[in-house]
Amino acid sequence: MLVIEQLHKSFPTAQGPLQVLRGIDLTLARGSSLALMGESGSGKSTLLHLVAGLDRADSGRILIDGEPLHGHGETALARWRREGIGLVFQQYNLISSLDVAANLAFQARLAKRHNPQWLAYLAERLGLAALLDRYPEQLSGGQQQRVAIGRALASRPALLLADEPTGSLDEASSDEVLALLLQLVGEAGSSVLMVTHSPRLAARLQHRCVLHQGRVQGS
Ligand SMILES: Nc1ncnc2c1ncn2[C@@H]1O[C@H](COP(=O)(O)OP(=O)(O)OP(=O)(O)O)[C@@H](O)[C@H]1O
Ligand SMILES: [Mg+2]
């Protein structure tokens, strides 16, 4: 479903352009999972932002089901951001003025794919059923993380983009949350591209690749 061809991205700096991605090629089949690894500063988050349509590459293409992400104008791009993807970042980015139930439903409502049964199921599986009327500041880090995961999956996005989604949890909790995430991703029918520093967690996904000096190593 996702094909990345010769993606280049640089950032302007005082010392001239910083070449972060120097020809990334990558393929992710529908329903499959890929762990994106690589040292700090290797461009993992940059790549995720490009795939999310939050930033633009200098050159190269991102194809979604064969269609270039930037080929159909801003409306199509906005639609991809709203309906095509789910995002989970290390900072959970929950909306502090909304309770857990409203946070969970937020993106699905925007995508016009709010399904109360699926949402109730997600809340139950994520251990959030008793916390639905709480506000983000009244939750632990792990609970906020699970809300972020539920919110991202509530719209059953084609692609879940996760940037160190368990980065601030301890080892046991990250294993547990990742197992749950992968299971729910499967039930949602989503593909997943996940950044992680942990070889242990990466091993749980179907495929792995490493960013190094702006290119992809591995399979
Ligand atoms: N908006 C920006 N302007 C200038 N430089 C940037 C910008 N965003 C990222 N960079 C630089 O691009 C490089 C890649 O950053 P990126 O955040 O993609 O790395 P990463 O692989 O996600 O690292 P980490 O594992 O630490 O999260 C870094 O050198 C970073 O400083
Ligand atoms: Mg990063």
Side-chain angles (χ1 to χ4, degrees), residues 86-110:
L87 289 173
V88 186
F89 292 126
Q90 190 174 353
Q91 329 71 298
Y92 317 119
N93 300 316
L94 301 179
I95 301 165
S96 57
S97 58
L98 299 180
D99 64 15
V100 168
N103 265 286
L104 282 172
F106 189 78
Q107 197 187 348
R109 286 211 162 98
L110 282 183

Side-chain angles (χ1 to χ4, degrees), residues 155-205:
S155 63
R156 295 179 182 264
L159 179 61
L160 182 77
L161 296 168
D163 200 344
E164 298 184 60
T166 62
S168 34
L169 304 180
D170 62 47
E171 212 171 86
S173 315
S174 348
D175 280 19
E176 200 181 326
V177 168
L178 183 71
L180 189 54
L181 183 148
L182 292 176
Q183 204 176 355
L184 293 173
V185 156
E187 292 177 35
S190 309
S191 311
V192 55
L193 180 54
M194 187 183 95
V195 172
T196 179
H197 281 107
S198 159
R200 195 186 79 252
L201 296 183
R204 312 273 293 259
L205 277 66

Side-chain angles (χ1 to χ4, degrees), residues 11-13 18 20 38-46 164 197:
F11 293 108
T13 70
L18 173 70
V20 178
E39 63 203 25
S40 182
S42 59
K44 305 178 298 293
S45 297
T46 301
E164 298 184 60
H197 281 107

Side-chain angles (χ1 to χ4, degrees), residues 13-172:
T13 70
Q15 291 76 39
L18 173 70
Q19 302 285 343
V20 178
L21 306 179
R22 305 162 177 248
I24 298 288
D25 291 303
L26 223 147
T27 301
L28 183 64
R30 183 165 294 283
S32 73
S33 58
L34 173 67
L36 190 57
M37 307 181 70
E39 63 203 25
S40 182
S42 59
K44 305 178 298 293
S45 297
T46 301
L47 181 58
L48 238 59
H49 284 128
L50 294 177
V51 173
L54 299 170
D55 198 359
R56 269 194 101 123
D58 302 337
S59 63
R61 297 202 300 171
I62 298 171
L63 302 170
I64 311 295
D65 294 330
E67 297 291 326
L69 186 57
H70 292 277
H72 300 285
E74 280 303 315
T75 316
L77 195 59
R79 185 170 173 175
W80 170 246
R81 288 193 289 252
R82 192 173 63 237
E83 300 174 20
I85 57 168
L87 289 173
V88 186
F89 292 126
Q90 190 174 353
Q91 329 71 298
Y92 317 119
N93 300 316
L94 301 179
I95 301 165
S96 57
S97 58
L98 299 180
D99 64 15
V100 168
N103 265 286
L104 282 172
F106 189 78
Q107 197 187 348
R109 286 211 162 98
L110 282 183
K112 300 205 166 33
R113 284 210 291 268
H114 177 54
N115 175 332
Q117 282 86 31
W118 170 240
L119 205 69
Y121 175 75
L122 282 175
E124 181 68 41
R125 293 296 313 277
L126 289 162
L128 299 169
L131 305 173
L132 291 174
D133 58 358
R134 292 228 204 148
Y135 286 82
E137 63 181 20
Q138 302 169 315
L139 300 176
S140 73
Q143 290 165 340
Q144 292 183 46
Q145 182 61 313
R146 284 179 273 133
V147 176
I149 291 169
R151 176 182 59 183
L153 289 175
S155 63
R156 295 179 182 264
L159 179 61
L160 182 77
L161 296 168
D163 200 344
E164 298 184 60
T166 62
S168 34
L169 304 180
D170 62 47
E171 212 171 86

